[in-house]
Amino acid sequence: MKKKSALIILLLLSITLVSVRNYNPDNGTYYSIAELKKMYSSGDHSKWPKATIDSSVVDFEDIGVLPDVVFPADNPYSLAKRELGKVLFFDPRLSGSQQISCASCHDPELGWGDGKRVSNGHDRTAGTRNSKPIINVAFSKVFFWDGRAATLEEQAKFPIADVKEMNNHMDIAVKNIQKIEGYKKFFYSAYGEEKVTEEKILKAIATFERTVVSRKSRFDKFIEGDSTQLSDKEVSGLHLFRTKARCINCHNSPYFSDNQFHNAGLTYYKRKYEDLGRYNITHDPEDVGKFKTPSLREIVHTGPYMHNGLFPQLRGVLNLYNAGMPNLKPKGDQITDKLFPVTSPLLKKLNLTEQELQDLEAFLKSISSGIYREPAPEEFPKKKVTKVKNGSTAAKAVTVAS
C-alpha cells in the first residue's frame, strides 16, 4: 500500500512539474507538451494559447511564416535589376578607396553581417555599432539601428557617403560607375537605357537586397503542420517566448520584430560605449537610448548581438533579459537630467529557471534556417570594352581597382 501511494505521489509530482514548465500566466492555464505541440502545429493561430502582451503594445501581429516579398510601386522587381544590384553590392569601386563594398560588412558567408563587434570601414576605421544583417530586410519598415532611413533605397546611400564606411561622395561614386563601359549593358537591361544615375544605382541595390530572404526554418514547417519539426524542448521554448519570457512584446510578426524602437538599458550614458541611439536622429529626449528591434530570424548566424555587439553568445543576452536588463534610477543631479535614459517598461525581471532558459534558447535556434550563401560575381564589369575584328565586343582586362 505504501509503495502504491509513493508511486501515485511521484506520478502527480511529475505531472505538476511538466505543467508548471508550461504555465500560461495570462489565463492561469497549464498545458502539457503534447497539448502545446498539437495547438502550435495546427496551422491555425486561433488555436494557439493566448500570448502575454503588455497593454502598451500597439499594432501587434503574432509570429508566423514570412509572407511573399512586396516590392514598392516605384521600384518593381525585375531579374535584370536584381543582377545589376548584385554586381553593385559586391563591387568595391563604389567606395572612395575602391577596396570596400556593401558585401564587406554584409557578407553572405557570415549570415549577411560581418561577425564583428563593430565593423571596420575606410582605412580600417572602427565603427560604433554592430553591422545589421541584411537578410529579410525586405520586411523592415525603417532602417539602421536608429531609423535614420525610411526606405531601403535611402538606406543604400548612407554607407557610401559615410567617412567611416565607404568614404565616397555619391556624385563621385556615380561618375566612377559611369566610366566603366562594362556596366552599360547591365543598366540597359535593367532600365532600358545605358545612362547611370544615383537613383538607378540605389534602386538596383535595394532590389537585390529585397531578394535576400530566409528559407523556411524548422519553426515555419512546424507551425504549418509538421509537428515532428520541433522537439519537446523547443516547443516549450516557443510557448515561453509568447508567454512568461515576454519576448513577443517586441519580437512579434513573422519578421520577429515590431519594427519599433525601445531602450533596452544599454545606453552606457556618460560612460564608455555611450550611444544615445534614436535621439541622435530625432533629438527627442524620450528617444534617448532607443534602438530598433532586430529580427530574430537567423539568429544563430548573426552574432555578436545588440547594437554595440558586446554580447558574443546568445545565452548572455538571455541572462541579461531574465534579470530585467540594466534599469538604472537617476540619483542626485541625474534627477533633473532630461537625457537620463529610461529603460523600456516592457522589460521586467522574468524569473526564468535554468531549464526554461535552455528551452527558450533552443526555440530561438529553431527559427534559423540553412542560410543561403549568394556567390559573389565571378568578375566585375570591365572599365574598357574594345572592338575585335569580327565586329563583336571583347572586354579589355583591367584590375578591379582601375
Side-chain angles (χ1 to χ4, degrees), residues 336-368:
T336 58
D337 185 350
K338 293 182 179 180
L339 297 186
F340 190 84
V342 179
T343 301
S344 170
L346 291 173
L347 301 176
K348 301 175 182 179
K349 191 171 182 179
L350 301 175
N351 297 310
L352 297 175
T353 66
E354 173 60 27
Q355 182 63 62
E356 288 172 331
L357 285 166
Q358 290 180 17
D359 292 354
L360 183 58
E361 184 175 7
F363 165 66
L364 291 175
K365 292 178 178 179
S366 80
I367 57 178
S368 294

Side-chain angles (χ1 to χ4, degrees), residues 89-109:
F89 183 88
F90 283 94
D91 196 333
R93 289 172 291 184
L94 280 173
S95 69
S97 66
Q98 301 201 358
Q99 297 296 316
I100 302 171
S101 71
C102 303
S104 298
C105 295
H106 302 287
D107 189 337
E109 298 292 331

